Amino acid sequence: MPPRPTTSTYALLGLLALRPWSAYELAQQATRSLRYAHPRTESHLYEEAKRLLVLGWATTHVEHRGRRPRTIYEITGEGRSALHAWFATPPRNPQLDFEALLRLLFADQTDKATLDRCLEETADNARQLADDAIQRLLRPYLTDDSAPFPERRHIAALVAAFVADYLHLIERWCEFARHEIDSWPHTDGLGMTDRTREILEAVLNGRSVLKRGG
């Protein structure tokens, strides 16, 4: 029985639909361009590339650059059909993998200072990721005609809009949570305070509790 394709399988298939890649280039490009929407380790990506071969959705041939051989992956007709069929299926529900949020869920098992440090580091990481996305990936599309796949700039812009807003949301939420936790006398046993009720009522009435701007 052939292996079951995963979302990562289709992500690599999408890259192969753009052009052939060496195994190394494919992993590097996936890490570069997919990290904000579908982050995976390089070892996982190499395994997914092998899955494409078993499925018959890609083929390989060896090229020689100097003395070093390179294995080049190329999409097959069956692979293009599989990619088109994937678009016709309903996407998975959005999934959130956010460790700071998970830690906050168990806030009563630690102290305020530890939580504050966790949230501060998470906000810093979100800020750095946003800066990296803008400077390394997006700015070249505006300033450098040699940026990769310039014909896909309209697509990159939509992805960038989500990524930027998402990372800024994380940063703002961390600042909000830090401010709230700072007002707690301790992390456990507080229950339904006036402020807790205020936050819950805002959420239930569709009002954001996060400060805008800044």
Side-chain angles (χ1 to χ4, degrees), residues 107-118:
D108 51 0
Q109 304 302 311
T110 188
D111 55 71
K112 289 172 54 174
T114 301
L115 286 175
D116 186 75
R117 185 167 58 251
C118 166

